[in-house]
Amino acid sequence: MLRTLFLGILFGTVALGAPATANSPLSALGAKGSATTLSLPMQIALSLTLMVLLPAALMSITPFLRITIVLHFLRQALGTQSTPSNQVLIGLSMFLSLLIMQPMATEIYQTAWEPMDQGKITASQAFDDGSKPLKTFLVKYAREKDIQLFVEVAKAPAPRNASELGLQVLIPAYILSELKTGFQIGALLFLPFLVIDLVVASVTLSIGMVQLPPVMLSAPFKILLFVLVDGWNLVVGSLVKSFY
């Protein structure tokens, strides 16, 4: 069942537009390499299920996770409330993720989907070939400590090398590692703006402006500092470069 889910995640988007033939992923999900044709209602139910799971899966196993966390912390540090809006931050995160993941997506398409669509390999073989680039990406950014944790949780035998790790271990390990990395970067972004808040709060208290919230006075200074150092270029550039 887990193998079927991962296969659907890899090819779900393309499979929705493919005809229901023996070479279609939807007609081969039920068996290892066999062309067992599913009924039309089952294909529709499976397609809808994959459509529900696909966005969450793509957000979790791509750079989208780290980028959204960092941009959220940046907005909180600036104290601009809802500016930029969630739609703008999500859109920026999505296009940056597409830029970073394009080489891997192209490799998966050429090595797995294209041969399967031409009938040269089965869905099971396509899954094995398509998961190799994804595993390489996940292993690169997943911490060894997190991988060890989920190997123990899954009660799987200790792998001799990274190629023996399964996606059921690599995906949660990658998510946990990206959460930690995103929070670390967010904490570092907070520090310079926190200094400005402390300075402004000290000045307002020293001159007796106790009724005026320091946040209202510090916000323009934080925005001015961020603009002067070309903050968006620095933050986005550093985020993208961290995946290369």
Side-chain angles (χ1 to χ4, degrees), residues 90-110:
I90 291 175
L92 177 60
S93 303
M94 181 182 66
F95 285 110
L96 290 177
S97 301
L98 290 174
L99 176 66
I100 297 170
M101 298 295 290
Q102 184 177 1
M104 189 194 75
T106 302
E107 185 178 357
I108 291 177
Y109 177 81
Q110 293 176 347

Side-chain angles (χ1 to χ4, degrees), residues 200-217:
V200 172
S202 300
V203 173
T204 54
L205 288 175
S206 63
I207 63 178
M209 300 175 60
V210 294
Q211 294 183 350
L212 184 63
V215 177
M216 293 183 60
L217 294 176

